[in-house]
Amino acid sequence: MTNRKGQVELAKEDLIKAVNQVLGIVRRNGRSRKVGLALVLMVLLGGRSSVRNAAETFGLDYANLL
């Protein structure tokens, strides 16, 4: 059985793979990587989130996300 730290690392790897898959789909549909990242972050925040909330939550540049 893996320890807690190992489980966190596995979950992190799975999240990164999922985000990269979504970004790939977004790119194939003609959108920029920034748009894809903004969409992924908004989904992670859930509910009625905004680009500004995503920028503040994850410490990203708001202007870049726009």
Side-chain angles (χ1 to χ4, degrees):
M1 178 181 280
T2 60
N3 60 17
R4 174 83 66 198
K5 189 173 184 177
Q7 291 174 338
V8 169
E9 287 300 317
L10 287 175
K12 181 180 174 182
E13 290 174 9
D14 288 343
L15 176 63
I16 290 170
K17 286 178 189 175
V19 167
N20 285 331
Q21 286 178 338
V22 171
L23 290 176
I25 292 168
V26 170
R27 294 284 298 173
R28 283 193 298 274
N29 286 320
R31 301 289 186 248
S32 72
R33 184 171 173 83
K34 282 194 260 185
V35 169
L37 182 58
L39 291 171
V40 168
L41 294 177
M42 289 173 70
V43 168
L44 288 175
L45 288 174
R48 298 167 52 206
S49 63
S50 67
V51 174
R52 181 175 297 278
N53 288 344
E56 290 174 5
T57 300
F58 295 100
L60 302 171
D61 183 32
Y62 174 71
N64 265 348
L65 288 177
L66 288 177

